[in-house]
Amino acid sequence: MPSAFVDLHTHSTASDGTLAPAEVVRLAQKANLVGLALTDHDTVAGLPEAAAEAERLGIAFLPAIEISCSYPPPGTMHLLGYGIDPASPVLAKMMRWLVEARDERNPKVVARLRELGIAIDMDEVKQEAGGQVIGRPHIAAILVRKGYVKSMHQAFAKYLGIGAAAYFDKERLTSRQAIELIRQSGGVAALAHPVQLATRTDSELRRVVKGLLDQGMQALEVIHSDHDRARVDHYTRLADRMGLLKTGGSDFHGDYKGVELGVANGQRVPREWMDVITAVVRT
Ligand code: AMP
Ligand code: MN
Ligand code: MN
Ligand code: MN
């Protein structure tokens, strides 16, 4: 049995988490984790602060990012980039584009909510987000706080999720573009939470994963808060069979999501998985 554990999927206030990057690292130490990756959506802004705190506390740190890709609904495809260089110019350019895509979408969501009689405006949303990357969880948190819904989950079910009353899509990268971006920035690309692809059969899942492998993806997120043990076993076999590295994490978002740092649906991620990815990043 492994005795040391890591969390390779976490969010901070740089995107849609509620703890500052250094606070996520300090919580990782409190949770006895030996390693951490910060995987904020569409931004590397939190990485310097997290890296410095990890160094100070003696925790292994992998700088990372999570990018949403175009994919047919009701599925969603997110790619993780591990070991990216936060100073990569291609990444900087693409992050500007991704934030612009959010800036196009978010006011549409807010305008529709107002049409539905909800008192909300973009200034409040910007304040809730407190930074560059504004996401639907920031809007959801306002809906909860004002009593329009009882929970974040209900905010998505009723208003913000795919097909709900105030859902608007945003422009996304293709998986090919995202993988190329991650690799050009020195990173290892991993498919996040494959359960969210919403594939209906195993052969469909294998086809999608094989397609990503052919595009240069190197790892599969096997352990995740949305994966029960049967799924973890299934994805482990798939990764091993396809020669993909394994990764995992809680998808911690602080108060915005009810998951504990370091624990994904009762499972923990062995530090060896992080060591292997780190070794590949360095070569
Ligand atoms: P965005 O990137 O702005 O489109 O927002 C997507 C984010 O919303 C995801 O990264 C999750 O943090 C959160 N999210 C998506 N679906 C749900 C849901 N059904 N319940 C709660 N949070 C969700
Ligand atoms: Mn999120
Ligand atoms: Mn995701
Ligand atoms: Mn995530």
Side-chain angles (χ1 to χ4, degrees), residues 52-92:
E53 189 68 358
E55 163 105 60
R56 196 173 74 80
L57 298 177
I59 290 175
F61 183 72
L62 253 183
I65 194 167
E66 181 173 20
I67 299 172
S68 315
C69 299
S70 45
Y71 191 74
T76 54
M77 179 186 277
H78 293 177
L79 291 172
L80 297 160
Y82 289 114
I84 41 141
D85 172 10
S88 156
V90 273
L91 197 55

Side-chain angles (χ1 to χ4, degrees), residues 9 11 41 66 251 253:
H9 192 155
H11 297 267
H41 302 281
E66 181 173 20
D251 212 352
H253 280 69

Side-chain angles (χ1 to χ4, degrees), residues 228-250:
D228 58 19
R229 187 167 285 276
R231 283 221 158 77
V232 172
D233 289 346
H234 191 82
Y235 299 141
T236 299
R237 282 196 299 276
L238 184 64
D240 290 344
R241 209 164 349 120
M242 288 196 177
L244 288 162
L245 308 178
K246 291 184 283 286
T247 181
S250 63

